[in-house]
Amino acid sequence: EPGFGGQKFMADQLPKLAAIRAYIEEYNPACHLEVDGGVDPVTAPQVVAAGADVLVAGSAVYGAADPAAAIRILRGE
């Protein structure tokens, strides 16, 4: 459950992200949709595909041997 760093991504929330993105597009397209929790190189593309446009990746970055490289990987570079 949410509450501390290093939590596992909750993939069952992807449909909810997509629904929220649809709501945002209808009512306030300038609004950003942020995801925080379990974002890593595997889950980042999933949440982006579901509609997120701001990602928080604490452990995936700060727990990496090379944080700058981890950021590049998350960005798909």
Coordinates of all heavy atoms in Angstrom, one line a residue:
E1 N 0.8 -1.2 0.0 CA 0.0 0.0 0.0 C 0.9 1.3 0.0 O 2.0 1.2 0.5 CB -0.9 0.0 1.2 CG -2.0 -1.1 1.1 CD -2.9 -1.0 0.0 OE1 -3.4 0.1 -0.4 OE2 -3.1 -2.0 -0.7
P2 N 0.4 2.3 -0.5 CA 1.1 3.6 -0.6 C 1.5 4.1 0.8 O 0.9 3.7 1.8 CB 0.1 4.6 -1.2 CG -0.9 3.8 -1.9 CD -1.0 2.5 -1.1
G3 N 2.6 4.8 0.9 CA 3.0 5.4 2.1 C 4.5 5.5 2.3 O 5.0 6.3 3.2
F4 N 5.3 4.8 1.6 CA 6.8 4.9 1.8 C 7.5 4.5 0.5 O 6.9 3.8 -0.4 CB 7.2 4.0 2.9 CG 6.9 2.6 2.8 CD1 7.8 1.7 2.2 CD2 5.8 2.0 3.3 CE1 7.5 0.4 2.0 CE2 5.5 0.7 3.2 CZ 6.4 -0.2 2.5
G5 N 8.7 4.9 0.3 CA 9.5 4.7 -0.9 C 9.8 3.2 -1.1 O 9.8 2.4 -0.1
G6 N 9.9 2.8 -2.3 CA 10.3 1.5 -2.7 C 9.1 0.6 -2.9 O 9.2 -0.6 -3.0
Q7 N 7.9 1.1 -2.9 CA 6.7 0.3 -3.0 C 6.6 -0.2 -4.4 O 7.0 0.3 -5.4 CB 5.4 1.2 -2.8 CG 5.3 1.6 -1.3 CD 4.8 0.5 -0.4 OE1 5.6 -0.4 -0.1 NE2 3.6 0.6 0.0
K8 N 5.9 -1.4 -4.5 CA 5.7 -2.0 -5.8 C 4.6 -1.3 -6.6 O 3.6 -0.8 -6.0 CB 5.2 -3.5 -5.6 CG 5.1 -4.3 -6.8 CD 4.7 -5.7 -6.6 CE 4.4 -6.4 -7.9 NZ 3.6 -7.5 -7.7
F9 N 4.7 -1.2 -7.9 CA 3.7 -0.5 -8.7 C 2.4 -1.3 -8.7 O 2.4 -2.6 -8.7 CB 4.2 -0.5 -10.1 CG 3.3 0.2 -11.1 CD1 3.0 1.5 -11.0 CD2 2.6 -0.6 -12.0 CE1 2.0 2.1 -11.9 CE2 1.7 0.0 -12.9 CZ 1.4 1.3 -12.8
M10 N 1.3 -0.6 -8.6 CA 0.0 -1.2 -8.5 C -0.6 -1.2 -9.9 O -1.3 -0.3 -10.3 CB -0.8 -0.5 -7.5 CG -0.3 -0.6 -6.1 SD -1.1 0.5 -4.9 CE -2.7 -0.3 -4.7
A11 N -0.3 -2.3 -10.7 CA -0.8 -2.3 -12.1 C -2.3 -2.3 -12.2 O -2.8 -1.9 -13.3 CB -0.2 -3.6 -12.7
D12 N -3.0 -2.7 -11.2 CA -4.4 -2.7 -11.3 C -5.0 -1.3 -11.3 O -6.2 -1.1 -11.6 CB -5.0 -3.5 -10.1 CG -4.7 -2.9 -8.7 OD1 -3.6 -2.3 -8.6 OD2 -5.5 -3.0 -7.8
Q13 N -4.1 -0.3 -11.2 CA -4.6 1.1 -11.2 C -4.5 1.7 -12.7 O -5.0 2.8 -12.9 CB -3.8 2.0 -10.3 CG -3.9 1.6 -8.8 CD -5.4 1.7 -8.4 OE1 -6.0 2.7 -8.5 NE2 -5.9 0.5 -7.9
L14 N -3.9 0.9 -13.6 CA -3.8 1.4 -15.0 C -5.2 1.8 -15.6 O -5.3 2.9 -16.2 CB -3.0 0.5 -15.8 CG -1.5 0.4 -15.5 CD1 -0.9 -0.8 -16.3 CD2 -0.8 1.6 -15.9
P15 N -6.2 1.0 -15.4 CA -7.5 1.4 -16.0 C -8.0 2.7 -15.4 O -8.6 3.6 -16.0 CB -8.4 0.3 -15.7 CG -7.5 -0.9 -15.5 CD -6.2 -0.4 -14.9
K16 N -7.7 2.9 -14.1 CA -8.2 4.1 -13.4 C -7.4 5.3 -14.0 O -8.0 6.4 -14.2 CB -7.9 4.0 -11.9 CG -8.5 5.2 -11.1 CD -8.2 5.1 -9.7 CE -9.1 4.1 -9.0 NZ -9.0 4.1 -7.5
L17 N -6.1 5.2 -14.3 CA -5.3 6.2 -14.9 C -5.9 6.6 -16.2 O -6.1 7.8 -16.5 CB -3.9 5.8 -15.1 CG -3.0 5.8 -13.9 CD1 -1.7 5.1 -14.3 CD2 -2.8 7.2 -13.4
A18 N -6.3 5.6 -17.0 CA -6.9 5.9 -18.3 C -8.2 6.6 -18.2 O -8.5 7.6 -19.0 CB -7.0 4.6 -19.1
A19 N -9.0 6.2 -17.2 CA -10.3 6.9 -17.0 C -10.1 8.4 -16.6 O -10.8 9.3 -17.0 CB -11.1 6.2 -16.0
I20 N -9.1 8.6 -15.7 CA -8.8 9.9 -15.3 C -8.3 10.8 -16.4 O -8.7 11.9 -16.6 CB -7.8 9.9 -14.1 CG1 -8.5 9.3 -12.9 CG2 -7.3 11.3 -13.8 CD1 -7.5 9.0 -11.7
R21 N -7.4 10.2 -17.3 CA -6.9 10.9 -18.4 C -8.1 11.3 -19.3 O -8.2 12.5 -19.8 CB -5.9 10.1 -19.2 CG -5.5 10.6 -20.6 CD -5.1 12.1 -20.6 NE -3.9 12.3 -19.7 CZ -3.5 13.5 -19.3 NH1 -4.2 14.6 -19.7 NH2 -2.4 13.6 -18.6
A22 N -9.1 10.4 -19.5 CA -10.2 10.8 -20.4 C -11.0 11.9 -19.7 O -11.5 12.9 -20.4 CB -11.1 9.6 -20.5
Y23 N -11.2 11.9 -18.4 CA -11.9 13.0 -17.7 C -11.1 14.3 -17.9 O -11.7 15.3 -18.2 CB -12.0 12.6 -16.2 CG -12.8 13.6 -15.4 CD1 -14.1 13.5 -15.3 CD2 -12.1 14.6 -14.8 CE1 -14.9 14.5 -14.6 CE2 -12.8 15.6 -14.0 CZ -14.2 15.5 -13.9 OH -14.9 16.4 -13.2
I24 N -9.8 14.3 -17.7 CA -9.0 15.5 -17.9 C -9.1 16.0 -19.3 O -9.3 17.2 -19.5 CB -7.5 15.1 -17.6 CG1 -7.3 14.9 -16.1 CG2 -6.6 16.2 -18.1 CD1 -5.9 14.4 -15.7
E25 N -9.1 15.2 -20.3 CA -9.2 15.6 -21.7 C -10.5 16.3 -21.9 O -10.6 17.3 -22.7 CB -8.9 14.5 -22.6 CG -7.5 14.0 -22.7 CD -6.5 15.0 -23.0 OE1 -6.7 15.8 -23.9 OE2 -5.4 15.1 -22.3
E26 N -11.5 15.8 -21.3 CA -12.9 16.4 -21.5 C -13.0 17.7 -20.8 O -13.6 18.7 -21.3 CB -13.9 15.4 -21.0 CG -15.3 15.9 -21.3 CD -16.4 14.9 -20.9 OE1 -16.1 13.8 -20.7 OE2 -17.6 15.3 -20.9
Y27 N -12.5 17.8 -19.5 CA -12.8 19.0 -18.7 C -11.7 20.0 -18.5 O -11.9 21.2 -18.2 CB -13.3 18.5 -17.3 CG -14.6 17.8 -17.4 CD1 -14.7 16.5 -17.4 CD2 -15.8 18.6 -17.6 CE1 -15.9 15.8 -17.5 CE2 -17.0 17.9 -17.7 CZ -17.1 16.5 -17.6 OH -18.3 15.9 -17.8
N28 N -10.4 19.5 -18.6 CA -9.3 20.5 -18.4 C -8.0 19.9 -19.1 O -7.1 19.4 -18.4 CB -9.1 20.7 -16.9 CG -8.0 21.8 -16.7 OD1 -7.5 22.4 -17.6 ND2 -7.7 22.0 -15.4
P29 N -7.9 20.0 -20.4 CA -6.8 19.4 -21.1 C -5.4 19.9 -20.7 O -4.4 19.2 -20.9 CB -7.1 19.7 -22.6 CG -8.5 19.9 -22.6 CD -8.9 20.5 -21.3
A30 N -5.4 21.0 -20.0 CA -4.1 21.6 -19.6 C -3.6 20.9 -18.3 O -2.5 21.1 -17.9 CB -4.2 23.1 -19.4
C31 N -4.5 20.2 -17.6 CA -4.1 19.5 -16.4 C -3.1 18.4 -16.6 O -3.2 17.6 -17.6 CB -5.4 19.0 -15.7 SG -5.1 18.1 -14.2
H32 N -2.2 18.2 -15.7 CA -1.2 17.2 -15.8 C -1.7 16.0 -14.9 O -2.3 16.2 -13.9 CB 0.2 17.6 -15.3 CG 0.8 18.6 -16.2 ND1 1.3 18.3 -17.5 CD2 1.0 19.9 -16.1 CE1 1.8 19.4 -18.0 NE2 1.6 20.4 -17.2
L33 N -1.3 14.8 -15.3 CA -1.6 13.6 -14.6 C -0.3 13.0 -14.1 O 0.5 12.5 -14.9 CB -2.4 12.6 -15.4 CG -2.8 11.3 -14.7 CD1 -3.6 11.5 -13.4 CD2 -3.6 10.4 -15.7
E34 N -0.1 13.0 -12.8 CA 1.2 12.5 -12.2 C 1.0 11.1 -11.6 O 0.0 10.9 -10.9 CB 1.6 13.5 -11.1 CG 2.9 13.1 -10.4 CD 3.3 14.2 -9.4 OE1 3.1 15.4 -9.7 OE2 3.8 13.8 -8.3
V35 N 2.0 10.3 -11.7 CA 2.0 9.0 -11.1 C 3.2 8.9 -10.2 O 4.4 9.2 -10.6 CB 2.0 7.8 -12.1 CG1 2.2 6.5 -11.5 CG2 0.7 7.9 -12.9
D36 N 3.0 8.5 -9.0 CA 4.1 8.3 -8.0 C 3.9 7.0 -7.3 O 2.8 6.7 -6.7 CB 4.0 9.5 -7.0 CG 5.1 9.4 -5.9 OD1 5.9 8.5 -5.9 OD2 5.1 10.3 -5.0
G37 N 4.9 6.1 -7.4 CA 4.8 4.8 -6.8 C 5.1 3.7 -7.7 O 4.4 3.4 -8.6
G38 N 6.3 3.1 -7.5 CA 6.7 2.0 -8.3 C 7.1 2.3 -9.7 O 7.1 1.4 -10.6
V39 N 7.3 3.5 -10.0 CA 7.7 3.9 -11.4 C 9.2 3.5 -11.6 O 10.1 3.9 -10.9 CB 7.5 5.4 -11.7 CG1 8.0 5.8 -13.0 CG2 6.1 5.8 -11.5
D40 N 9.4 2.7 -12.6 CA 10.7 2.2 -13.0 C 10.8 2.0 -14.5 O 9.8 2.3 -15.2 CB 11.1 0.9 -12.2 CG 10.2 -0.2 -12.5 OD1 9.6 -0.3 -13.6 OD2 10.0 -1.1 -11.6
P41 N 11.9 1.5 -15.0 CA 12.0 1.4 -16.5 C 10.9 0.5 -17.1 O 10.5 0.6 -18.3 CB 13.4 0.8 -16.7 CG 14.2 1.3 -15.6 CD 13.2 1.3 -14.4
V42 N 10.4 -0.4 -16.3 CA 9.3 -1.3 -16.9 C 7.9 -0.7 -16.8 O 7.2 -0.8 -17.7 CB 9.3 -2.7 -16.1 CG1 8.1 -3.5 -16.4 CG2 10.6 -3.4 -16.3
T43 N 7.7 0.0 -15.7 CA 6.3 0.5 -15.5 C 6.1 1.9 -16.1 O 5.0 2.3 -16.4 CB 6.0 0.6 -14.0 OG1 6.9 1.4 -13.3 CG2 6.0 -0.8 -13.3
A44 N 7.2 2.6 -16.3 CA 7.1 4.0 -16.8 C 6.3 4.0 -18.2 O 5.4 4.8 -18.4 CB 8.4 4.7 -17.0
P45 N 6.7 3.1 -19.1 CA 6.0 3.1 -20.4 C 4.5 2.8 -20.2 O 3.6 3.3 -21.0 CB 6.7 2.1 -21.3 CG 8.0 1.9 -20.6 CD 7.8 2.2 -19.2
Q46 N 4.2 1.9 -19.2 CA 2.8 1.5 -19.0 C 2.0 2.7 -18.5 O 0.8 2.9 -19.0 CB 2.7 0.4 -18.0 CG 3.4 -0.9 -18.4 CD 3.5 -1.9 -17.3 OE1 2.9 -1.7 -16.2 NE2 4.2 -2.9 -17.5
V47 N 2.5 3.5 -17.6 CA 1.7 4.6 -17.1 C 1.6 5.7 -18.1 O 0.6 6.4 -18.2 CB 2.2 5.1 -15.7 CG1 2.2 4.0 -14.7 CG2 3.6 5.7 -15.8
V48 N 2.6 5.9 -18.9 CA 2.6 6.9 -20.0 C 1.5 6.5 -21.0 O 0.7 7.3 -21.4 CB 3.9 7.1 -20.7 CG1 3.8 7.9 -21.9 CG2 4.9 7.8 -19.7
A49 N 1.5 5.2 -21.3 CA 0.4 4.7 -22.3 C -1.0 4.9 -21.7 O -1.9 5.1 -22.5 CB 0.7 3.2 -22.6
A50 N -1.1 4.8 -20.4 CA -2.4 5.0 -19.7 C -2.8 6.4 -19.6 O -3.9 6.7 -19.3 CB -2.4 4.3 -18.4
G51 N -1.9 7.3 -19.9 CA -2.2 8.8 -19.9 C -1.4 9.7 -19.0 O -1.7 10.9 -18.9
A52 N -0.5 9.1 -18.2 CA 0.3 10.0 -17.3 C 1.3 10.8 -18.1 O 1.8 10.3 -19.1 CB 1.0 9.1 -16.2
D53 N 1.5 12.0 -17.6 CA 2.5 12.8 -18.3 C 3.5 13.4 -17.3 O 4.5 14.1 -17.7 CB 1.9 13.9 -19.1 CG 0.9 14.8 -18.3 OD1 0.7 14.6 -17.1 OD2 0.4 15.7 -18.9
V54 N 3.4 13.1 -16.0 CA 4.4 13.4 -15.0 C 4.7 12.1 -14.2 O 3.7 11.5 -13.7 CB 3.9 14.5 -14.1 CG1 5.0 14.8 -13.0 CG2 3.6 15.8 -14.9
L55 N 5.9 11.7 -14.1 CA 6.3 10.5 -13.4 C 7.2 10.9 -12.2 O 8.1 11.6 -12.4 CB 7.0 9.5 -14.3 CG 6.3 9.2 -15.6 CD1 7.1 8.1 -16.4 CD2 4.8 8.7 -15.4
V56 N 7.0 10.2 -11.1 CA 7.9 10.4 -9.9 C 8.5 9.0 -9.7 O 7.9 8.0 -9.6 CB 7.1 10.7 -8.7 CG1 8.0 10.8 -7.5 CG2 6.4 12.1 -8.9
A57 N 9.8 9.0 -9.8 CA 10.6 7.7 -9.7 C 11.7 7.9 -8.7 O 12.9 8.0 -9.0 CB 11.1 7.3 -11.1
G58 N 11.4 7.9 -7.4 CA 12.4 8.0 -6.4 C 13.4 6.9 -6.3 O 14.5 7.1 -6.6
S59 N 12.9 5.7 -5.9 CA 13.8 4.6 -5.7 C 14.5 4.1 -7.0 O 15.6 3.7 -6.9 CB 13.0 3.4 -5.1 OG 12.5 3.7 -3.8
A60 N 13.8 4.2 -8.1 CA 14.4 3.8 -9.4 C 15.5 4.7 -9.8 O 16.5 4.3 -10.4 CB 13.3 3.8 -10.5
V61 N 15.5 5.9 -9.3 CA 16.6 6.9 -9.6 C 17.7 6.9 -8.5 O 18.8 6.6 -8.7 CB 16.1 8.3 -9.8 CG1 17.2 9.3 -10.0 CG2 15.2 8.3 -11.1
Y62 N 17.2 7.1 -7.3 CA 18.2 7.3 -6.2 C 18.7 6.0 -5.7 O 19.8 6.0 -5.0 CB 17.5 8.1 -5.1 CG 17.2 9.5 -5.5 CD1 15.9 9.9 -5.8 CD2 18.2 10.4 -5.8 CE1 15.6 11.2 -6.3 CE2 18.0 11.7 -6.2 CZ 16.6 12.1 -6.5 OH 16.4 13.3 -6.9
G63 N 18.1 4.9 -6.0 CA 18.6 3.6 -5.6 C 19.5 3.0 -6.7 O 20.1 1.9 -6.5
A64 N 19.7 3.7 -7.8 CA 20.5 3.2 -8.9 C 22.0 3.6 -8.7 O 22.3 4.6 -8.1 CB 20.0 3.8 -10.3
A65 N 22.8 2.7 -9.3 CA 24.3 3.0 -9.2 C 24.6 4.3 -9.9 O 25.5 5.0 -9.5 CB 25.1 1.8 -9.7
D66 N 23.9 4.6 -11.0 CA 24.1 5.8 -11.8 C 22.8 6.5 -12.0 O 22.1 6.2 -12.9 CB 24.8 5.4 -13.1 CG 25.1 6.6 -14.0 OD1 24.7 7.7 -13.7 OD2 25.8 6.4 -15.0
P67 N 22.4 7.4 -11.0 CA 21.1 8.1 -11.1 C 20.9 8.8 -12.5 O 19.8 8.8 -13.0 CB 21.2 9.1 -10.0 CG 22.1 8.4 -9.0 CD 23.2 7.8 -9.8
A68 N 21.9 9.4 -13.0 CA 21.7 10.1 -14.3 C 21.4 9.1 -15.4 O 20.5 9.4 -16.2 CB 23.0 10.9 -14.7
A69 N 22.0 8.0 -15.4 CA 21.7 7.0 -16.4 C 20.3 6.4 -16.2 O 19.6 6.2 -17.2 CB 22.7 5.8 -16.4
A70 N 19.9 6.3 -14.9 CA 18.5 5.8 -14.6 C 17.5 6.8 -15.2 O 16.5 6.3 -15.7 CB 18.4 5.6 -13.1
I71 N 17.8 8.1 -15.0 CA 16.8 9.1 -15.6 C 16.7 9.0 -17.1 O 15.7 9.0 -17.7 CB 17.2 10.5 -15.1 CG1 17.0 10.6 -13.6 CG2 16.4 11.5 -15.9 CD1 17.6 11.9 -13.0
R72 N 17.9 8.8 -17.7 CA 17.9 8.7 -19.2 C 17.1 7.5 -19.6 O 16.3 7.5 -20.6 CB 19.3 8.6 -19.7 CG 20.0 9.9 -19.7 CD 21.4 9.9 -20.5 NE 22.3 8.9 -20.0 CZ 23.2 9.2 -19.0 NH1 23.2 10.4 -18.4 NH2 24.0 8.3 -18.6
I73 N 17.2 6.3 -18.9 CA 16.5 5.1 -19.3 C 15.0 5.4 -19.1 O 14.2 5.0 -19.9 CB 17.0 3.9 -18.4 CG1 18.4 3.6 -18.8 CG2 16.0 2.8 -18.5 CD1 19.1 2.6 -17.9
L74 N 14.6 6.0 -18.0 CA 13.2 6.3 -17.7 C 12.6 7.2 -18.8 O 11.4 7.0 -19.2 CB 13.0 7.0 -16.4 CG 13.1 6.0 -15.2 CD1 13.2 6.8 -13.9 CD2 12.0 5.1 -15.1
R75 N 13.4 8.1 -19.4 CA 13.0 9.0 -20.4 C 13.0 8.3 -21.8 O 12.5 8.9 -22.8 CB 13.9 10.2 -20.5 CG 13.7 11.1 -19.3 CD 14.6 12.3 -19.4 NE 14.3 13.3 -18.4 CZ 15.1 14.3 -18.0 NH1 16.3 14.4 -18.7 NH2 14.7 15.1 -17.1
G76 N 13.5 7.1 -21.8 CA 13.5 6.3 -23.1 C 14.6 6.8 -24.0 O 14.6 6.5 -25.2
E77 N 15.7 7.4 -23.4 CA 16.8 7.9 -24.2 C 17.8 6.8 -24.5 O 18.0 5.9 -23.7 CB 17.5 9.0 -23.5 CG 16.6 10.2 -23.4 CD 17.2 11.3 -22.5 OE1 18.3 11.3 -22.1 OE2 16.4 12.3 -22.3

